[in-house]
Amino acid sequence: MNSSRPYLLRALYEWIVDNNCTPHLLVAADYPGARVPAGYAKDGQIVLNVSPSAVRYLEMGNEVLTFEGRFGGVAQSLYIPVAAVQAIYARENGEGMSFVLEGMEEGEGDEGPSGDDEPPRPSGRPSLKVVK
């Protein structure tokens, strides 16, 4: 079955724009294949304003997002695998959706167990983090 992420991204983008808000994407800048401007990421993440007035040539496909944006006054082409998108939300009120980061190559991102070891079970209560 196809991933629902690209469909949800497109729907939420349209909803945010239709409500006269500014759509922002939270992206894992170090995700394999992601091409974002160097020097603008913080802690391996970058927040991108993808409003129609801020970007050109926005294409939201099932596998990748591409567009042109200006950083420091210089136009740059961005290439973002859909799986690298961690959240889409409206800047004005934080309404949107976050996604689980998946598809990182082994050895990248959080270090996990290797071999036949069983992964550690989380302790404590589950928690959610609000991204604004």
Side-chain angles (χ1 to χ4, degrees), residues 51-91:
S51 68
S53 62
V55 300
R56 294 182 356 165
Y57 314 121
L58 177 63
E59 293 288 330
M60 299 179 83
N62 288 345
E63 299 296 323
V64 68
L65 306 176
T66 60
F67 58 91
E68 187 178 281
R70 297 185 75 77
F71 295 85
V74 178
Q76 297 192 35
S77 295
L78 284 80
Y79 182 94
I80 301 166
V82 169
V85 178
Q86 295 177 284
I88 182 170
Y89 61 95
R91 179 186 69 200

Side-chain angles (χ1 to χ4, degrees), residues 12-31:
L12 286 165
Y13 176 86
E14 186 175 329
W15 175 73
I16 292 168
V17 171
D18 284 353
N19 283 285
N20 297 314
C21 291
T22 310
H24 280 201
L25 296 176
L26 176 65
V27 175
D30 54 358
Y31 192 89

